[in-house]
Amino acid sequence: MLQYLVILLDDAAASFCHYSSAGRAPRPMPADVLRRGIRFAMTENLNVQFVYPAGEVPADVAALVESVDHVKIKPVGAPGPADVTVVDGFDGLPAEPAEGATYVLRTDRAALFARRGELAPVLARAARLNLVLTDVERFADADVAAYAETLDELAGLIAGQYAAGRAPQLNVLNDRLLLTQMNSCGAGETSLTLAPDGRFYVCPAFYLAPDATPVGSPDEGPAVPNAQLYRLDHAPLCRRCDAWQCRRCVWLNRQTTLEVNTPGREQCVAAHVEREASRRLALRLREAGIMLPGAQEIKKLDYLDPFDVRETW
Amino acid sequence: MSIKENDKGWQSGMAKNITFIVTKDCQLACKYCYLVGKNTMERMPWEVARQAIDYILDHEAEMKEESVVWDFIGGEPFLEIDLIDRICDYLKTEMFRRGHHWFNSYRFSFSTNGINYHEEKVQRFIEKNRSHLSIGITIDGTERKHDLNRVYKGSGRGSYQDVVRNIPLWLSQFPDAGTKVTISSADIPYIKESVLHLYSLGIREVNINCVFEDVWQEGDDRLFEQQLMELADAIIDGGLYEDYACSFFSERLGKPLDCVAQNQNWCGAGRMLAVDAEGNFYPCTRFAQYSLREKPALIIGNVRDGIDHNRLRPFLTLDRCTQSPRKCIDCEVAEGCAWCQGENYDAAATPTIFQRSTAICLMHKARVRANNYYWNRLFRKLELEDAREAYEKRKKETKNVTC
């Protein structure tokens, strides 16, 4: 069931996920398109997430934004307050992260492995940090150890914060501790994106792709062909998987396996490295006497890719 | 080991099927042919074939099946008999040289239109590889039925006479060989006479299937059911069930299926491998561009860069219920209803293999009704003759090959 509407206020709106929006020419969403999108969201009881470009948005657009309850997703440095601040690469990290803020850091593997220590100030002040590996589709078996080591170091920072009475969230470590079911991004099922061209897309990545295919509009309503394939029950690998923090990115799925419901090995392996790191963080917190209300036991697995054990299903 | 003994291994599901699309040319232009992109230009160069073989044999650990079926298709494969002979020689030499686990556990398989079966080069190849060979000649039945669809390109002349002259030679070399018959809408009135005609030619196994494409007209299912019931009567009244088999009639047909215990994907696409003249790999030949009407080819790699295993993951995790619409999941006669993964992909609303085409639905239901009639009549007859037990011991079944 549709619950969220992501509205790109500009073609050059910041990417807050795996896809890249770099190099896109600015094209603001026309006010009448925005008006129809907001009306659609209101009539369908949807939560609205506005995604901003780096610069100012037109005054009429800014005024319309305030006509509906919403979340603002902005690139770091964009004017005005943001609910979620997107940082593209370590160089963009603020010297003094805002207390209680939510950040998204888009980074490739190499930078994360090399510069992970620079996340300490963010975890010390922010309420939440979402790490997005922008090259996860190239995650190799050789990256497993480096990623695990990186996550263990970050887990140490988080455990230190817990001991100090703070509880920052890092998506790739904390989410799995508290989830009881798959919590993927929901593109195509619980979430759609309204683009500046006035049409719905499965997510911003599907809009920015060369073969962009719209899936309805505010006037016609959503029309997602083969909509069942975006649901967990139609994902043979994912519905049996308990790496519940995995984004289960349908766009990456499409890129790597040609099917929106089937992840490539790289996404599965990275998610399982995170799951295992979450398990070790849970043990670390338990040993430190820190209780997480609602936290579930995470079982140790002897595989990193559920595909490898499909014969046992 | 005889071919018959060999059969046990091939039918156990432990064989890897690897197909060389050696040519996209054919003498015929069959009206129901799913190969929409046949042409005379795309002939597999030897170098591509060699690279494909080297890649496959180099990756023995990824292909652990006990046996291998090296399949050659076209177009018409025997148009490229020189290339095929060279490929087979190289395969045998390389499997032996490498100590590959497929050495002496392999078969060369052909599906041919039979037109140049008698030619010297083809016969020399058959003689050379006889103990590792299976060949199916496609003949659709009576001359009238066969020539309705299986016509020469250009002239439109029927090919029956050019095929039927080779049937005795073929059966003398492969007495247990079966033939594959394809049924489209226009063929329905000729089903009974065609199957009986094939039996009369000495072909004891007739694998016969409706095309998966959406070609059916209103009322076809009733006509189909009527034809099958008349065929059932003829088989039973003539006692033909003792020595002949027709895949339309099966004891494993027409029951509901469970989404947990009976959720296997029916089709072998993805477990199979096909390579074309360009050196591209496909999960099955049906995903090559010449087989597709609407969609782009689904390429999973090539002989130079190898196989992209991510592109195989959907095929190897696909199950029956995930790709089926609710009406198929709830169907009370689901058992035996087949599908073609390639046709599913081609007919789907999006580029996916997870949307099952149901164009064959009414035809399957008609088949189930006629099948029920067949077995009820046959078993009643056998019981009245006190012959049921003897029949069960010696009954002939088809391999039920549907693609």
Side-chain angles (χ1 to χ4, degrees):
Chain A
M1 182 183 167
L2 196 57
Q3 297 172 33
Y4 300 95
L5 183 64
V6 176
I7 298 181
L8 301 179
L9 293 177
D10 195 293
D11 267 9
S15 167
F16 56 95
C17 206
H18 296 292
Y19 66 95
S20 172
S21 61
R24 293 286 296 196
R27 177 169 74 140
M29 174 174 277
D32 66 311
V33 169
L34 179 57
R35 192 175 292 111
R36 289 203 296 275
I38 289 172
R39 190 175 57 202
F40 175 82
M42 286 177 154
T43 57
E44 299 296 323
N45 283 328
L46 304 181
N47 298 297
V48 180
Q49 298 168 335
F50 290 112
V51 190
Y52 284 71
E56 293 277 3
V57 295
D60 54 348
V61 166
L64 277 169
V65 162
E66 299 306 329
S67 68
V68 63
D69 195 16
H70 66 273
V71 168
K72 288 187 177 78
I73 302 173
K74 293 185 175 181
V76 67
D83 299 295
V84 177
T85 301
V86 181
V87 181
D88 213 357
F90 272 82
D91 289 342
L93 279 175
E96 287 192 29
E99 190 73 44
T102 295
Y103 289 97
V104 172
L105 173 62
R106 300 181 69 251
T107 176
D108 60 22
R109 290 161 297 159
L112 177 66
F113 300 162
R115 300 175 66 176
R116 60 207 186 207
E118 296 174 36
L119 295 178
V122 183
L123 293 173
R125 294 177 65 88
R128 182 173 174 87
L129 172 62
N130 284 349
L131 270 183
V132 176
L133 283 180
T134 53
D135 58 354
V136 70
E137 73 275 15
R138 291 191 290 279
F139 195 95
D141 288 351
D143 294 317
V144 169
Y147 194 36
E149 189 183 298
T150 297
L151 291 177
D152 281 345
E153 188 172 315
L154 295 174
L157 295 174
I158 289 169
Q161 291 294 317
Y162 271 90
R166 290 189 73 257
Q169 296 174 2
L170 178 62
N171 62 331
V172 292
L173 281 172
N174 295 69
D175 288 1
R176 181 58 184 80
L177 300 181
L178 299 174
L179 288 168
T180 56
Q181 59 184 353
M182 193 62 83
N183 184 45
S184 41
C185 91
E189 183 197 6
T190 60
S191 162
L192 285 180
T193 290
L194 178 64
D197 69 356
R199 291 168 175 167
F200 291 139
Y201 292 85
V202 169
C203 84
F206 283 81
Y207 170 60
L208 297 174
D211 59 346
T213 308
V215 291
S217 69
D219 296 334
E220 300 157 354
V224 182
N226 276 325
Q228 76 282 1
L229 298 182
Y230 296 91
R231 298 200 316 254
L232 182 64
D233 64 347
H234 274 67
L237 272 173
C238 303
R239 69 184 177 221
R240 293 177 174 90
C241 179
D242 75 345
W244 291 325
Q245 87 294 343
C246 179
R247 283 170 180 265
R248 212 168 74 77
C249 174
V250 295
W251 177 72
L252 275 181
N253 291 354
R254 182 95 175 77
Q255 298 292 108
T256 53
T257 69
L258 306 181
E259 295 283 354
V260 294
N261 67 345
T262 310
R265 176 175 173 79
E266 299 79 10
Q267 195 172 186
C268 289
V269 170
H272 279 75
V273 173
E274 292 160 4
R275 181 194 179 282
E276 174 60 13
S278 297
R279 193 186 69 82
R280 289 195 298 270
L281 172 59
L283 292 176
R284 187 190 291 219
L285 292 175
R286 183 188 295 174
E287 284 166 8
I290 298 167
M291 300 297 292
L292 292 178
Q296 307 284 316
E297 177 87 14
I298 304 174
K299 289 181 185 167
K300 185 163 178 57
L301 299 177
D302 57 4
Y303 59 85
L304 287 173
D305 182 359
F307 182 82
D308 294 340
V309 295
R310 67 190 186 282
E311 304 295 343
T312 64
W313 295 341
Chain B
M1 188 185 289
S2 71
I3 291 172
K4 188 122 188 170
E5 285 169 322
N6 264 337
D7 271 350
K8 292 171 188 166
W10 316 112
Q11 291 171 48
S12 69
M14 298 306 290
K16 179 87 174 174
N17 194 299
I18 298 174
T19 304
F20 292 88
I21 306 170
V22 289
T23 177
K24 291 176 184 170
D25 191 15
C26 182
Q27 306 98 317
L28 303 182
C30 302
K31 293 173 185 170
Y32 53 56
C33 184
Y34 64 84
L35 302 174
V36 293
K38 284 193 292 192
N39 63 78
T40 58
M41 308 301 291
E42 292 178 79
R43 301 168 59 203
M44 181 176 282
W46 159 247
E47 190 52 31
V48 167
R50 190 193 59 74
Q51 281 182 285
I53 293 164
D54 286 346
Y55 175 83
I56 291 162
L57 297 182
D58 282 348
H59 291 76
E60 184 175 2
E62 293 172 20
M63 302 180 199
K64 293 178 178 161
E65 290 86 346
E66 286 174 15
S67 310
V68 63
V69 177
W70 302 102
D71 203 2
F72 298 89
I73 71 156
E76 166 51 38
F78 283 148
L79 289 177
E80 293 293 335
I81 189 63
D82 291 335
L83 171 69
I84 289 168
D85 189 37
R86 192 172 179 188
I87 289 173
C88 292
D89 283 351
Y90 186 68
L91 276 169
K92 288 181 282 189
T93 306
E94 280 300 297
M95 287 191 292
F96 174 72
R97 187 181 68 78
R98 293 161 185 255
H100 196 287
H101 73 281
W102 285 341
F103 179 70
N104 220 21
S105 191
Y106 67 92
R107 167 178 290 189
F108 300 132
S109 174
F110 296 82
S111 186
T112 172
N113 60 31
I115 289 171
N116 57 356
Y117 187 82
H118 62 286
E119 288 178 2
E120 190 186 342
K121 280 183 179 177
V122 175
Q123 284 301 308
R124 210 162 45 228
F125 174 83
I126 290 170
E127 192 55 39
K128 186 169 154 185
N129 294 285
R130 184 82 168 267
S131 62
H132 288 278
L133 207 54
S134 66
I135 298 178
I137 291 182
T138 301
I139 180 166
D140 271 3
T142 59
E143 185 164 8
R144 180 169 59 159
K145 190 316 191 167
H146 184 96
D147 287 348
L148 197 66
N149 283 308
R150 300 186 69 80
V151 297
Y152 281 92
K153 65 182 178 189
S155 71
R157 182 170 64 84
S159 61
Y160 177 83
Q161 288 299 338
D162 294 333
V163 179
V164 78
R165 68 179 174 178
N166 285 326
I167 298 297
L169 173 61
W170 172 53
L171 288 176
S172 72
Q173 292 166 328
F174 303 99
D176 290 325
T179 193
K180 198 166 71 174
V181 179
T182 307
I183 299 295
S184 192
S185 179
D187 307 311
I188 294 173
Y190 311 106
I191 291 173
K192 175 192 157 193
E193 67 177 47
S194 292
V195 173
L196 295 178
H197 179 71
L198 294 171
Y199 287 171
S200 75
L201 292 176
I203 300 169
R204 292 169 183 271
E205 181 176 320
V206 177
N207 290 300
I208 185 165
N209 299 287
C210 293
V211 297
F212 292 105
E213 287 79 3
D214 188 8
V215 297
W216 307 106
Q217 311 286 322
E218 192 175 342
D220 276 356
D221 56 327
R222 287 290 164 193
L223 280 175
F224 182 54
E225 182 180 343
Q226 186 186 335
Q227 274 291 307
L228 292 192
M229 288 177 66
E230 287 177 17
L231 176 62
D233 285 339
I235 290 174
I236 293 168
D237 293 340
L240 298 170
Y241 53 86
E242 298 280 3
D243 298 311
Y244 297 89
C246 172
S247 63
F248 269 143
F249 302 121
S250 166
E251 288 182 80
R252 291 182 294 276
L253 183 69
K255 306 279 190 304
L257 292 174
D258 184 82
C259 261
V260 176
Q262 296 162 301
N263 200 23
Q264 301 87 343
N265 188 28
W266 181 89
C267 172
R271 287 182 290 277
M272 303 186 287
L273 184 66
V275 59
D276 71 0
E278 302 281 307
N280 289 322
F281 287 129
Y282 304 91
C284 148
T285 58
R286 194 61 174 74
F287 290 88
Q289 195 60 67
Y290 82 142
S291 302
L292 296 165
R293 302 177 306 275
E294 306 289 340
K295 298 290 194 307
L298 199 158
I299 297 169
I300 58 167
N302 60 59
V303 296
R304 295 163 293 280
D305 304 320
I307 293 171
D308 180 346
H309 290 278
N310 271 338
R311 293 191 174 188
L312 281 178
R313 288 163 76 95
F315 289 93
L316 300 179
T317 54
L318 182 61
D319 57 64
R320 184 178 65 84
C321 288
T322 302
Q323 66 185 296
S324 298
R326 177 50 61 186
K327 72 170 181 176
C328 297
I329 292 170
D330 293 339
C331 180
E332 295 190 347
V333 295
E335 186 185 31
C337 185
W339 61 85
C340 165
Q341 219 66 63
E343 172 58 19
N344 287 358
Y345 169 70
D346 207 11
T350 59
T352 181
I353 59 169
F354 285 84
Q355 184 187 350
R356 180 173 167 184
S357 166
T358 59
I360 207 167
C361 178
L362 290 179
M363 303 304 285
H364 172 71
K365 287 174 177 169
R367 179 189 172 201
V368 168
R369 289 192 295 271
N371 189 61
N372 291 342
Y373 171 79
Y374 175 87
W375 292 107
N376 278 314
R377 244 211 92 188
L378 177 60
F379 287 152
R380 183 65 181 155
K381 181 189 183 207
L382 292 170
E383 279 158 15
L384 289 172
E385 294 171 354
D386 200 19
R388 173 82 183 260
E389 199 174 322
Y391 169 79
E392 294 291 348
K393 281 180 184 164
R394 65 170 188 273
K395 67 185 173 187
K396 182 169 175 59
E397 290 187 83
T398 67
K399 299 181 187 71
N400 207 15
V401 179
T402 55
C403 67

